[in-house]
Amino acid sequence: MPEDPAGFELPEATLALRETALAFARERLAPNARDWDERRHFPVDVLREAAGLGMAALYVREESGGAGLTRLDAAVVFEALATGCPTISAFLSIHNMVAWMVDRYGTPKQRSQWLPRLIPMEAIASYCLTEPAAGSDAAALATRATRDNAGYVLDGTKQFISGAGVSDLYLTMVRTGGPGAGGVSAMLVPKAAEGLSFGPNERKMGWNAQPTRQVIFTGARVPAEALLGAEGDGFRIAMSGLDGGRLNIGTCSLGGAQAALDTAIAYVRERRAFGKAIVDFQATQFRLADMATELEAARTLLWRACAKLDSGAADATAFCAMAKRFATDTGSRVADEALQLLGGYGYLAEYGVEKIVRDLRVHRILEGTNEIMRVIIARQLLGR
């Protein structure tokens, strides 16, 4: 990863976090990333090693047992981890989001029940919002939770759920009221809940080192204490989590793209054509310069959005959308340019760049598509 840009020096504590994360990425993620991708293996043991370094509860409050870090700290950590494997870094970001939501919105009983297990990743968490017929229009979700004397009964299906079938806790958005955002509530559903099942593991273009399945509720029963926050608060809770999630997925794009750029630089130094190293051609130098510049611009915008979210700025949501859109578009483009610089070798699995290209492509879709990010930004601009 590059040095800090002039005028934005990271605190020493944040730099130390980055070095720890880079070392973990270099030693535990990068050597195994291609194998995990090919075998579609979810390395729970390695995730728990990361949790042992405090990376599963980065912005859970210290009094709750977490690291109590800022969103900027977390962004630096996720980018560093993504240099080793964007897929694993992205899943850690999802688990962090759920742990933060439990800490932020949970009752004392919910926090004491789940956080001691989530923080070391003894229990793994998934986030369940998207449905087969409700993606970008999340407020149209149809999974229903019906109240009875014993608690709630859930019926419906969630789609594209990372960690499904392995995770122990499913933070699920359900409809407890009428149509629209005001009828949505949040539920903490344990894997052991009666009536909870999972679809087959989806075959995907990328993100193969984490399972993606449907989460199916068929008369699934949870106690009344499973409600996170109050009835009708679910959409607000979901969106508050997504602000940070969008920053995290943007940082994962930057980390993956940085790794691809570093691979391309090493390759063009060694590869020769027409009697000299490819790096000596000005066209190559200009392409590398543009790639590095675009990554730095995206990183700077993302760090500014982190500062907005940390400070509770009124325009934080719009800045998170800007940063997510720009960082994921940029990361995907830079990774593709890196593959092009490697030529035919970039298309081979052994160099690792084609995996990064595949992994980063979905970042422009999840945590809100980049088209929806433009809607959010435009609404803020137009005061709507």
Side-chain angles (χ1 to χ4, degrees), residues 168-186:
D168 305 281
L169 176 65
Y170 298 86
L171 198 164
T172 306
M173 303 303 157
V174 297
R175 188 160 300 284
T176 53
V184 176
S185 299

Side-chain angles (χ1 to χ4, degrees), residues 3 36 50 59 78 88 117 119 122 129 152 180 199 215 225 254 265 268 277 294 298 303 342 352 371:
E3 294 301 317
W36 294 335
Y59 32 86
F78 290 129
I88 299 306
R117 299 177 61 206
I119 290 167
E122 174 189 327
L129 175 62
Y152 291 92
V215 177
E225 293 77 18
L254 297 181
I265 291 171
V268 298
E294 289 168 13
W303 286 2
L342 268 69
E371 289 74 19

